[in-house]
Coordinates of all heavy atoms in Angstrom, one line a residue:
Q41 N 4.5 -22.0 108.6 CA 3.9 -21.6 107.3 C 3.4 -20.2 107.3 O 3.1 -19.6 106.3 CB 2.7 -22.6 107.1 CG 2.1 -22.4 105.7 CD 3.0 -22.7 104.5 OE1 3.9 -23.5 104.7 NE2 2.8 -22.1 103.4
T42 N 3.2 -19.6 108.5 CA 2.8 -18.2 108.5 C 3.8 -17.3 107.8 O 3.4 -16.2 107.2 CB 2.6 -17.7 110.0 OG1 2.0 -16.4 109.9 CG2 3.9 -17.6 110.7
F43 N 5.1 -17.7 107.8 CA 6.0 -16.9 107.0 C 5.8 -16.9 105.5 O 5.7 -15.9 104.9 CB 7.5 -17.4 107.2 CG 8.5 -16.8 106.3 CD1 8.8 -15.5 106.5 CD2 9.1 -17.5 105.3 CE1 9.7 -14.9 105.6 CE2 9.9 -16.9 104.4 CZ 10.3 -15.6 104.6
N44 N 5.5 -18.1 105.0 CA 5.3 -18.2 103.6 C 4.0 -17.6 103.1 O 3.9 -16.9 102.1 CB 5.3 -19.7 103.1 CG 6.6 -20.3 103.3 OD1 7.7 -19.8 102.9 ND2 6.7 -21.5 103.9
T45 N 2.9 -17.9 103.9 CA 1.6 -17.4 103.5 C 1.3 -15.9 103.8 O 0.9 -15.2 102.9 CB 0.5 -18.3 104.2 OG1 0.7 -19.6 103.9 CG2 -0.9 -17.9 103.8
V46 N 1.6 -15.5 105.1 CA 1.3 -14.2 105.5 C 2.4 -13.1 105.1 O 2.1 -12.1 104.6 CB 1.0 -14.1 107.0 CG1 0.7 -12.7 107.5 CG2 -0.2 -15.1 107.3
V47 N 3.6 -13.5 105.5 CA 4.7 -12.5 105.3 C 5.2 -12.5 103.9 O 5.3 -11.4 103.3 CB 5.8 -12.9 106.3 CG1 7.1 -11.9 106.1 CG2 5.4 -12.7 107.8
L48 N 5.5 -13.6 103.3 CA 6.2 -13.6 102.0 C 5.3 -13.5 100.8 O 5.6 -12.9 99.8 CB 7.0 -14.9 101.9 CG 8.0 -15.0 100.7 CD1 9.0 -13.9 100.7 CD2 8.7 -16.4 100.7
T49 N 4.0 -14.0 100.9 CA 3.1 -14.1 99.8 C 2.0 -13.0 99.8 O 1.9 -12.2 98.8 CB 2.5 -15.5 99.6 OG1 3.6 -16.4 99.6 CG2 1.7 -15.6 98.4
F50 N 1.1 -13.0 100.8 CA -0.1 -12.4 100.7 C -0.2 -11.0 101.4 O -1.0 -10.1 100.9 CB -1.3 -13.2 101.2 CG -1.7 -14.3 100.4 CD1 -1.4 -15.6 100.7 CD2 -2.4 -14.1 99.1 CE1 -1.8 -16.7 99.8 CE2 -2.7 -15.1 98.3 CZ -2.4 -16.4 98.6
V51 N 0.5 -10.8 102.4 CA 0.3 -9.5 103.2 C 1.6 -8.6 103.3 O 1.6 -7.5 102.8 CB -0.2 -9.8 104.6 CG1 -0.5 -8.6 105.4 CG2 -1.5 -10.7 104.6
F52 N 2.6 -9.1 104.0 CA 3.7 -8.2 104.3 C 4.5 -7.8 103.0 O 4.9 -6.6 102.9 CB 4.6 -8.8 105.4 CG 5.5 -7.7 106.0 CD1 5.0 -6.9 107.0 CD2 6.8 -7.5 105.6 CE1 5.7 -5.9 107.6 CE2 7.6 -6.6 106.2 CZ 7.1 -5.7 107.2
S53 N 4.7 -8.7 102.1 CA 5.4 -8.3 100.9 C 4.6 -7.3 100.1 O 5.2 -6.4 99.5 CB 5.7 -9.6 100.1 OG 4.5 -10.2 99.7
V54 N 3.3 -7.4 100.1 CA 2.4 -6.4 99.4 C 2.5 -5.1 100.1 O 2.6 -4.1 99.5 CB 1.0 -6.9 99.4 CG1 0.1 -5.9 98.7 CG2 0.8 -8.3 98.7
I56 N 5.2 -4.0 101.6 CA 6.4 -3.4 101.3 C 6.4 -2.7 99.9 O 6.8 -1.6 99.7 CB 7.5 -4.5 101.3 CG1 7.8 -5.0 102.7 CG2 8.8 -4.0 100.6 CD1 8.7 -6.2 102.7
M114 N 11.3 -12.1 111.6 CA 9.9 -11.6 111.2 C 9.5 -10.5 112.2 O 9.0 -9.5 111.8 CB 8.9 -12.8 111.2 CG 9.0 -13.7 110.0 SD 7.6 -14.8 109.9 CE 8.0 -16.0 111.2
M117 N 10.7 -7.0 111.7 CA 10.2 -6.2 110.6 C 9.0 -5.4 111.1 O 8.5 -4.6 110.3 CB 9.8 -7.1 109.4 CG 11.0 -7.7 108.7 SD 10.5 -8.6 107.2 CE 10.2 -10.2 107.9
L134 N 13.6 -9.4 105.0 CA 12.7 -10.5 104.4 C 13.6 -11.5 103.7 O 13.3 -12.8 103.8 CB 11.7 -9.9 103.4 CG 10.6 -10.8 102.9 CD1 9.8 -11.3 104.1 CD2 9.7 -10.0 101.9
A137 N 15.1 -13.8 106.3 CA 14.1 -14.6 106.8 C 13.9 -15.8 105.8 O 13.7 -17.0 106.2 CB 12.8 -14.0 107.1
V199 N 1.6 -7.2 111.4 CA 1.5 -8.6 110.9 C 2.8 -9.4 111.1 O 2.9 -10.5 111.4 CB 1.2 -8.6 109.4 CG1 1.5 -9.9 108.7 CG2 -0.3 -8.3 109.2
A200 N 3.9 -8.6 110.9 CA 5.3 -9.2 111.1 C 5.5 -9.7 112.5 O 6.0 -10.8 112.7 CB 6.3 -8.2 110.7
S203 N 3.3 -12.7 113.2 CA 3.8 -13.9 112.5 C 5.0 -14.5 113.3 O 5.1 -15.7 113.4 CB 4.2 -13.6 111.1 OG 3.0 -13.2 110.3
G204 N 5.8 -13.6 113.8 CA 7.0 -14.1 114.6 C 6.6 -14.8 115.8 O 7.1 -15.9 116.2

Side-chain angles (χ1 to χ4, degrees):
Q41 188 63 27
T42 189
F43 170 70
N44 295 313
T45 302
V46 177
V47 176
L48 189 60
T49 304
F50 286 109
V51 183
F52 199 78
S53 60
V54 177
I56 291 174
M114 284 192 287
M117 287 186 274
L134 188 60
V199 161
S203 298

